[in-house]
Amino acid sequence: MSEAQSRPDQAVDQTTAPAPAAWAAVISMTLGVFGLVTAEFLPVSLLTPMADDLRITEGMAGQAMSATAVMALITSLLTATVTRKIDRRYVLLGFSVLLIAANIMIAQAPNYAILLAGRVLLGVALGGFWTMSAAIIMRLVPEKNVPRALAILFSGVSAATVFAAPLGSYLGDVIGWRNVFMLASLLGVLALVVQFATLPKMPPRGRATLRTLIEVINRPRMKFGLFSLVLIITGHFALFTYVRPFLENVSGVTTAGVSGILLGFGVANFIGTYVGGALIARSLRMTIALMPMIMGLAGVGMVAIDGAVAPTTVLVAIWGMAFGGVPVAWSTWITRTVPDEAESGGGLLVAGFQLAIATGAAVGGLVFDTSGALGVFTIAGFLLLAASIIVTLGLRTAPVPAEQG
């Protein structure tokens, strides 16, 4: 499939796309996102058996998510620069190979050090693939089809949220956590095969450098927006990383019950993606502020009721629905704030997410080891409420762009 010619007055053309739309390639990208996000969040539902098997604390097992997030953060900032001379098809295929290798390494890990090494490798694959994916999709379809293609891409995240935690928890109890990661490696193989068959050659465009990132981050509204994003995602992942210990130790839920509650979280999250989209059409700023407020109230509410099972189940679903709108809202914010630098802006957004994931998991682990799940949920809940207030008072959003004919 041939690429459209770049205009001489435009160094990086991120919206021009070939025709016809390469929908099979878009699906292959979605499979990649599904496999990566599934692997990233499997420890959430397998934290307890992983800790028992490797003879470490649950807090230490939670740091495995931090290792992935830190490496994904670094990779998201460097990918465009390091790979600027390589065909994007081969870059993405390489990240899919790393996904497979990382899952196999984690599944076979004899000790904590090898587990962390596998999670670091996963972080490279996650940060690189996710950073490039949105910009590449813009090259696979005509401009008018980009919103639809991005919606398909994000459905991979929602599907992983629905299936990874509950299915991982269930299968971990049936076949063991190591075999769950082996199954995750097969997801990577499937994504790699489909990508190999469908992704066209995509020569690199432009001359991405680290200076571009600095220029983008220094634009109006960017620093405050990224700071607000980090606060919100930190609070969420402090809750999410330790939700299984909370349900088991505070609510007294069985493994099967944990799977059911996490499934409810995932389904609500999927629905929340569309709810968030509808709210964004009314007010992007209101949506960005409202979601962490709901999440924070849910977290504090679970502590206040001391983990009573029935209301906790409802609150977990409400929390999941609220978080469903967060990635959609912030992705919309970045496209409106730096529309001319989608790849660099996307890299900064991924970096912000991963920094927050690492911070949330790390701080949550420290709090968990000292004051348990109740302490984690209390602090994270109030952090989310504070983030909502900060966004309400200080965040400014760009005007809605005019619709294209």
Side-chain angles (χ1 to χ4, degrees):
M1 184 177 294
S2 63
E3 289 288 343
Q5 294 294 321
S6 298
R7 295 189 300 274
D9 62 338
Q10 187 169 353
V12 181
D13 186 349
Q14 295 178 339
T15 57
T16 302
W23 290 113
V26 173
I27 295 298
S28 77
M29 298 281 291
T30 305
L31 286 174
V33 169
F34 177 72
L36 285 162
V37 176
T38 294
E40 182 182 17
F41 294 139
L42 275 178
V44 171
S45 59
L46 299 171
L47 208 62
T48 302
M50 289 173 66
D52 291 343
D53 188 17
L54 296 173
R55 297 181 180 180
I56 57 178
T57 68
E58 290 173 321
M60 290 178 64
Q63 303 300 337
M65 289 192 67
S66 300
T68 301
V70 168
M71 188 52 59
L73 185 159
I74 296 171
T75 305
S76 69
L77 296 175
L78 298 178
T79 295
T81 299
V82 173
T83 67
R84 65 181 180 271
K85 296 181 179 180
I86 306 174
D87 189 298
R88 272 28 197 158
R89 166 185 164 88
Y90 300 121
V91 173
L92 292 183
L93 292 176
F95 287 134
S96 292
V97 170
L98 289 182
L99 167 63
I100 298 167
N103 278 320
I104 293 175
M105 184 181 295
I106 294 166
Q108 301 297 323
N111 53 50
Y112 186 55
I114 300 300
L115 174 71
L116 284 180
R119 295 294 296 184
V120 165
L121 195 62
L122 176 64
V124 175
L126 178 74
F129 192 99
W130 188 245
T131 297
M132 301 300 298
S133 58
I136 289 176
I137 277 185
M138 294 179 184
R139 298 175 64 174
L140 294 176
V141 301
E143 186 174 356
K144 65 179 181 180
N145 294 131
V146 166
R148 179 184 174 193
L150 290 176
I152 294 173
L153 179 70
F154 274 105
S155 72
V157 180
S158 297
T161 304
V162 171
F163 291 107
L167 192 59
S169 178
Y170 173 76
L171 290 177
D173 192 48
V174 175
I175 63 176
W177 70 270
R178 295 180 183 274
N179 286 323
V180 173
F181 277 99
M182 288 302 296
L183 290 177
S185 71
L186 294 180
L187 281 178
V189 171
L190 174 62
L192 177 64
V193 170
V194 178
Q195 288 162 16
F196 185 83
T198 62
L199 285 174
K201 290 184 177 181
M202 292 176 284
R205 292 174 172 172
R207 299 178 180 177
T209 65
L210 294 179
R211 176 174 293 183
T212 304
L213 287 175
I214 296 173
E215 292 173 351
V216 171
I217 202 171
N218 283 327
R219 292 190 185 185
R221 296 187 297 269
M222 280 295 294
K223 290 180 180 178
F224 185 85
L226 291 174
F227 171 74
S228 302
L229 168 70
V230 169
L231 286 182
I232 294 169
I233 305 302
T234 295
H236 167 72
F237 277 98
L239 292 174
F240 193 59
T241 304
Y242 298 96
V243 64
R244 176 168 178 167
F246 181 91
L247 294 174
E248 290 180 335
N249 301 333
V250 179
S251 299
V253 178
T254 63
T255 300
V258 170
S259 299
I261 292 174
L262 292 179
L263 177 61
F265 176 96
V267 172
N269 181 264
F270 188 85
I271 296 171
T273 301
Y274 295 96
V275 173
L279 291 175
I280 290 169
R282 293 178 176 271
S283 172
L284 175 59
R285 182 184 175 198
M286 179 270 291
T287 305
I288 291 176
L290 180 63
M291 295 307 177
M293 177 178 294
I294 295 173
M295 293 157 61
L297 290 174
V300 173
M302 283 183 268
V303 173
I305 62 176
D306 201 25
V309 176
T312 292
T313 301
V314 174
L315 288 173
V316 167
I318 292 173
W319 160 32
M321 181 177 291
F323 183 69
V326 172
V328 180
W330 282 101
S331 295
T332 303
W333 176 80
I334 204 74
T335 60
R336 294 184 186 177
T337 305
V338 286
D340 58 321
E341 288 290 350
E343 189 170 300
S344 295
L348 289 171
L349 191 70
V350 173
F353 262 85
Q354 297 304 326
L355 173 62
I357 292 172
T359 304
V363 173
L366 294 174
V367 174
F368 183 87
D369 286 341
T370 57
S371 58
L374 281 174
V376 173
F377 272 56
T378 300
I379 293 175
F382 280 112
L383 177 61
L384 285 164
L385 292 175
S388 176
I389 294 172
I390 290 172
V391 168
T392 301
L393 295 178
L395 186 69
R396 296 294 179 268
T397 58
V400 179
E403 293 186 3
Q404 299 175 350

